[in-house]
Amino acid sequence: MRRELLKFALFSALVLTVPALVKGGYLLNVLVFVGINTMLAVALNLLLGFAGQISLGQAAFYGLGAYLSGVLTTTHGWNPWTALCAAAVAVGLLAFVIGLPILKLKGHYLAMATLGFGIIVFIVFNEYVDVTGGPSGFPGIPGMQIGDLRFDSDLKSYYLIWGMALLVILLAVNLTQSRIGRALRAIHDSEVAARVLGVNARLLKVQVFTCSAVISCVAGSLYAHTVTFISPSTFGFHFSVELLTMVIIGGLGSIYGSCLGAALLTLLPEFLRTFQDYDIVVYGLLLILMTMFLPGGLVQGGEIVWRWLRQLWPGKAG
């Protein structure tokens, strides 16, 4: 656990010093969205990488957080932080209720069930025009603030989003290093064997599904109050595929791999705008190539390079 805390401390120090290196501008704004996607990728990795339960509906929980928080603050005048907490509780309860029947399914049946849930939520966002604004979107969402401190600049938003992202990472690290984390890995390897060893697999799967949904919801609320405008197109199936790609490219079962995957898949489109009409094809190719040649993701690739350098170093020293 000390090693994990040291990793977290080094990663936090890197995150906090980035604004000094970037010095504002467009890139800092993009890094704000890297933080949001990091929360989402970590949430999905807890479910997929550790518990082995695939979900194609994470974008739905992300969207529910954004819309619930946006509607409560804009239409009903709630404080953004109160709205964020209320949205998290509501989405957590919903995830627990739908998780009980859905998580009885396995493999592609589970994937299809979560995809169906995502499609239903997406249709509601589009059709419930009186509340959500429909395809035109929902504008005028107030920004976050604490007392007189308003998060109305890229720098302030960066520290807010990444502060929350670091809390999520710390929570995930503690969870995966605990007895619950070991039980989740046992479920991932063999649910039958885990049950034999006394693990309440069904309840634990529902709990991690709920935890993943709540984290995604919080990310959605922060997204809504950062951009102050939301539309259904942001929370469709396409984005669920992006999240899945982030997790697989970063490394299944690795929290910091999720951060790498989120950073790569958020920054890459900014440098490949020419292919923006074919991005779903690019994500598909990346998934195929990573699955074939580097199933452990970027984390596994880093470990391979590190071992190669360690073997090379003594020869150079001699």
Side-chain angles (χ1 to χ4, degrees), residues 84-300:
L84 182 150
C85 294
V89 171
V91 168
L93 290 172
L94 175 64
F96 188 84
V97 169
I98 68 170
L100 287 171
I102 281 181
L103 290 169
K104 289 181 181 179
L105 303 172
K106 293 179 176 62
H108 56 278
Y109 295 107
L110 175 60
M112 290 301 100
T114 54
L115 173 60
F117 170 71
I119 291 172
I120 291 170
V121 172
F122 180 74
I123 291 172
V124 170
F125 291 159
N126 268 296
E127 300 299 327
Y128 204 10
V129 179
D130 292 341
V131 176
T132 65
S136 301
F138 191 84
I141 301 170
M144 284 291 189
Q145 67 178 85
I146 301 175
D148 294 329
L149 175 61
R150 294 179 179 274
F151 295 92
D152 52 3
S153 69
D154 289 338
L155 182 62
K156 291 176 183 177
S157 295
Y158 176 89
Y159 282 117
L160 170 67
I161 297 299
W162 274 103
M164 295 295 289
L166 289 174
L167 284 176
V168 168
I169 292 168
L170 183 60
L171 168 69
V173 168
N174 283 327
L175 181 66
T176 55
Q177 295 298 312
S178 68
R179 183 179 178 182
I180 294 175
R182 292 191 290 274
L184 290 174
R185 289 188 183 91
I187 293 171
H188 183 282
D189 293 338
S190 172
E191 188 172 329
V192 174
R195 290 179 186 276
V196 170
L197 293 172
V199 175
N200 189 339
R202 185 186 176 193
L203 179 60
L204 204 54
K205 287 193 297 183
V206 174
Q207 287 174 336
V208 74
F209 182 74
T210 303
C211 179
S212 176
V214 169
I215 294 172
S216 299
C217 170
V218 170
S221 295
L222 291 171
Y223 171 82
H225 293 290
T226 299
V227 300
T228 69
F229 172 84
I230 50 178
S231 64
S233 58
T234 308
F235 312 108
F237 169 68
H238 180 276
F239 188 66
S240 288
V241 174
E242 282 187 44
L243 290 177
L244 186 64
T245 310
M246 288 176 193
V247 172
I248 293 176
I249 286 179
L252 288 170
S254 169
I255 299 300
Y256 296 104
S258 301
C259 304
L260 284 173
L264 179 64
L265 266 294
T266 308
L267 293 169
L268 192 60
E270 302 301 320
F271 300 101
L272 298 175
R273 288 191 174 276
T274 335
F275 304 99
Q276 61 182 353
D277 294 332
Y278 306 98
D279 50 358
I280 193 70
V281 178
V282 174
Y283 296 142
L285 287 173
L286 283 172
L287 278 174
I288 293 171
L289 292 173
M290 292 297 289
T291 304
M292 288 176 61
F293 301 110
L294 208 61
L298 294 175
V299 170
Q300 182 190 17

Side-chain angles (χ1 to χ4, degrees), residues 312-318:
L312 215 61
W313 182 257
K316 286 188 176 183

Side-chain angles (χ1 to χ4, degrees), residues 304-314:
I304 291 171
V305 171
W306 176 248
R307 285 198 297 268
W308 179 72
L309 289 174
R310 288 184 65 182
Q311 290 174 358
L312 215 61
W313 182 257

